Amino acid sequence: MLNLIPKPQSCKEGNGTFTFGKNAAVYTEIELPLLNMPTGDDPALRIIKDDTLGREEYSLKVDGDGVLIKASCANGAYYALQSVRMLGRFDEGKNEIPFVEIFDRPQYGWRGVSLDEARHFFGKTYVKKLIGEMFRLKLNVLHWHLSDDSGWRIEIKKYPLLTEVGSKRAYTQIDGWSTDHIDGKPHSGFYTQEDIKEIVAYAAQRCVSIIPEIDVPAHFAAGLAAYPQMACRNLQRDVMGFFGDKIPFAKGMKDWNRPLCMGKEEVFGFITDIYDEICELFPFEYFHIGGDECDVTEWKTCPDCQRVMKEKGFKNERQLQLMLTDRLCKYFKEKGKSVVGWNEILREDGIDKSAVAQYWEQKRDRKVERHVNSGGRIIMSNHQSFYFDHPYSIRTLKATYSFSPYRYGVNKANIGNVLGIEAEMWTEWIATEEKLDFMYHPRMEALSEVAWTDEKHRNFKDFVARLDSYKSIYKALGINYAVDKISMPKNPLRSAKITKLFYNGDTDFELKQNEMLYEKGNR
């Protein structure tokens, strides 16, 4: 059994192994800055440029003569090298690569993972570590959530208060959605533009594109704490330290969930000024504008919003958000980019067809189905499989691995309109790197196989066997992962108890149980 995740599309195993000698050399026709091997006359590793292969395709042959890789560019060559790395268990200090012939290419072009740093800030070191994990697993899009109600995490030179005010909060809600408990500890942090450039370059070397998310018109409370005049009413509010509506409802706060004003033209200029600076930092062809969970209550009584509605002949306030989305689609087209937004951007009919809808909700969304089956593009991040911030009692490893787009209304004839899949990591209840690792792994391994390997070649039992062989690499890489009893729960009553604790009392229960099981060697 080959220790390889994700499973390749085609694989023929041989008899024997190849070992790189102490002075092993490489011959390469593709520039690979990360490849740290000398060139030589008798190379053990040969990398041949083959323009008949796609950008992310590769072929790999290991026999007694050494390792032969064919690819059209660095992406395919690097993915082949990641396969060699895993097959040879290089991370564990080993160096025996089994004889094999592989032809491989990804099922989807978008193979993504998100990181929410608005709720909790983690910093450059962890982000680079995450990018390295993605590279190893042939994941290629990092969705970076850099703003929300509880924190603004990116420097904007034209609007310095966004970080001076918006990146800091006085407290954080703890113990789950149903509690009103707060920790009383200040939390802050943001990335300078130089930090962003460094991380984007680091990711690009590892075949990872980064899509930033700056939410509009809702989830903008941290921005409004800095620039309150951009809301319908100029009310000074602190950056929120709570998540959801439990605490504000308990405190009688009726204006906690205010969006940007859609009736003031200066607001659109404010948004595009911010996006102008961010676009200079992120070369990826997509930009995420959020667009979800917008409470339109304030727009209903705002004279500026109502004036615009009358001028445009709008029948309801949701059309104000549609107006914004369409304007942003045109704005980004001029920059050579496409808008991505959560599936709520499709709530009103008539959206610009260039917009990409990210399908996240648990409930079936008929408008997403119509969008994708009539030529619109989508990314699938369905709650049931890809919400990695949920405990394993709710989102098991098997739930991730068993994903199929056809369960969510995508017709087989239109599967080409699915750009790919992406797992979400919201961090309301994740404050440490240790817990981030635990929530990502081994679900990230399952995600990589679902994104890379054709559905007809996938088998959960086979995946679990390869994963079991893979666990020694976790230790070598210093990754805290969920043991089998946690990631593949078998007792529904116990799972129900854990789920209840997650919502009301102990969001770290699984993490603590995992630590106990790991120490006992019960993996």
Side-chain angles (χ1 to χ4, degrees), residues 295-310:
D295 184 345
V296 302
T297 302
E298 195 156 76
W299 293 350
K300 292 181 178 181
T301 57
C302 171
D304 293 309
C305 290
Q306 291 301 309
R307 172 182 49 77
V308 170
M309 285 187 63
K310 185 176 181 180

Side-chain angles (χ1 to χ4, degrees), residues 43-280:
L45 171 63
R46 290 171 294 151
I47 301 171
I48 306 300
K49 184 175 175 60
D50 184 344
D51 290 330
T52 67
L53 296 172
R55 185 167 177 266
E56 295 186 307
E57 289 180 337
Y58 69 89
S59 69
L60 168 65
K61 182 177 182 180
V62 183
D63 59 18
D65 295 327
V67 177
L68 173 64
I69 290 169
K70 292 183 180 180
S72 63
C73 65
N75 295 65
Y78 275 135
Y79 289 148
L81 289 168
Q82 293 304 311
S83 293
V84 171
R85 169 187 175 182
M86 291 184 67
L87 290 169
R89 294 181 174 270
F90 294 167
D91 294 300
E92 299 170 270
K94 299 178 182 179
N95 178 15
E96 285 190 0
I97 311 161
F99 289 177
V100 69
E101 289 186 44
I102 289 173
F103 172 76
D104 211 1
R105 50 108 186 98
Q107 177 181 206
Y108 293 112
W110 187 297
R111 304 180 302 281
V113 169
S114 81
L115 177 62
D116 165 23
E117 288 203 80
R119 275 56 177 248
H120 282 98
F121 180 79
F122 296 95
K124 280 195 299 186
T125 300
Y126 188 83
V127 174
K128 287 182 176 180
K129 175 186 175 183
L130 176 60
I131 290 167
E133 292 164 10
M134 294 175 65
F135 186 33
R136 188 181 74 255
L137 294 168
K138 304 181 178 77
L139 297 167
N140 67 346
V141 178
L142 174 60
H143 174 176
W144 208 1
H145 190 71
L146 291 168
S147 73
D148 212 299
D149 295 328
S150 48
W152 188 280
R153 305 299 180 204
I154 181 170
E155 176 189 28
I156 303 298
K157 294 184 184 297
K158 189 168 184 178
Y159 299 106
L161 294 182
L162 286 171
T163 48
E164 290 177 20
V165 174
S167 70
K168 304 168 186 176
R169 63 175 186 258
Y171 64 91
T172 301
Q173 183 179 351
I174 56 174
D175 297 336
W177 296 102
S178 300
T179 74
D180 58 2
H181 305 162
I182 60 174
D183 64 3
K185 300 175 183 177
H187 186 82
S188 63
F190 68 92
Y191 292 99
T192 67
Q193 294 196 4
E194 290 304 310
D195 291 334
I196 297 289
K197 291 174 185 176
E198 178 184 336
I199 293 168
V200 168
Y202 184 89
Q205 282 192 314
R206 290 156 180 80
C207 309
V208 174
S209 299
I210 302 181
I211 179 170
E213 180 180 355
I214 303 295
D215 279 15
V216 293
H219 288 293
F220 204 86
L224 292 178
Y227 295 94
Q229 67 271 28
M230 298 299 168
C232 294
R233 294 178 294 155
N234 189 340
L235 303 175
Q236 187 61 59
R237 296 288 184 266
D238 295 331
V239 178
M240 298 176 183
F242 53 80
F243 311 120
D245 57 17
K246 174 72 175 181
I247 289 178
F249 280 0
K251 293 181 177 294
M253 298 169 59
K254 297 181 179 180
D255 55 12
W256 64 276
N257 193 22
R258 298 184 302 145
L260 289 159
C261 181
M262 292 293 98
K264 301 174 184 175
E265 185 60 25
E266 66 183 292
V267 171
F268 187 75
F270 176 63
I271 294 169
T272 53
D273 284 346
I274 292 168
Y275 286 173
D276 281 346
E277 290 193 29
I278 296 175
C279 284
E280 290 297 313

Side-chain angles (χ1 to χ4, degrees), residues 334-518:
E334 292 176 359
K335 292 182 175 290
K337 296 179 183 287
S338 295
V339 161
V340 180
W342 301 107
N343 53 271
E344 287 98 321
I345 65 172
L346 302 179
R347 187 171 289 178
E348 290 296 313
D349 294 333
I351 194 169
D352 190 306
K353 270 292 187 181
S354 69
V356 179
Q358 190 160 4
Y359 192 1
W360 72 274
E361 290 186 288
Q362 289 193 77
K363 63 185 180 182
R364 188 169 179 178
D365 190 328
R366 302 285 185 178
K367 294 201 171 184
V368 175
E369 294 174 21
R370 287 199 294 271
H371 182 72
V372 69
N373 292 320
S374 62
R377 296 174 297 167
I378 67 169
I379 299 158
M380 306 203 77
S381 295
N382 304 78
H383 229 274
Q384 296 88 332
S385 296
F386 301 126
Y387 262 53
F388 287 3
D389 57 301
H390 287 181
Y392 288 93
S393 64
I394 301 175
R395 309 291 172 225
T396 67
L397 185 64
K398 189 172 184 179
T400 297
Y401 194 86
S402 301
F403 169 79
S404 172
Y406 306 116
R407 296 189 194 133
Y408 300 95
V410 180
N411 296 334
K412 290 191 176 182
N414 296 302
I415 191 64
N417 297 329
V418 178
L419 294 182
I421 63 176
E422 178 184 297
E424 305 311 315
M425 185 64 82
W426 306 110
T427 63
E428 288 94 342
W429 319 114
I430 303 172
T432 67
E433 295 179 10
E434 176 193 26
K435 188 172 182 183
L436 265 181
D437 277 359
F438 166 75
M439 302 300 275
Y440 274 127
H441 300 283
R443 285 187 284 208
M444 191 187 292
E445 280 68 30
L447 168 74
S448 76
E449 191 146 307
V450 172
W452 183 275
T453 309
D454 288 353
E455 195 169 339
K456 63 185 178 183
H457 296 317
R458 299 199 319 255
N459 178 279
F460 185 63
K461 186 176 180 180
D462 172 69
F463 167 75
V464 170
R466 281 179 286 119
L467 179 65
D468 195 53
S469 176
Y470 182 89
K471 288 174 183 173
S472 55
I473 296 177
Y474 285 137
K475 185 176 181 180
L477 294 174
I479 294 172
N480 182 46
Y481 68 94
V483 302
D484 291 354
K485 285 193 173 182
I486 299 295
S487 67
M488 295 179 280
K490 295 180 180 179
N491 185 331
L493 292 177
R494 179 177 171 80
S495 291
K497 175 185 176 182
I498 293 170
T499 300
K500 184 177 180 180
L501 283 170
F502 172 72
Y503 282 98
N504 187 12
D506 191 352
T507 58
D508 291 335
F509 181 81
E510 279 188 339
L511 179 67
K512 290 180 285 191
Q513 290 293 304
N514 193 73
E515 186 176 344
M516 291 170 52
L517 290 167
Y518 190 87

Side-chain angles (χ1 to χ4, degrees), residues 17-28:
T17 61
F18 176 79
T19 300
F20 283 115
K22 184 177 181 180
N23 299 314
V26 62
Y27 166 79
T28 181

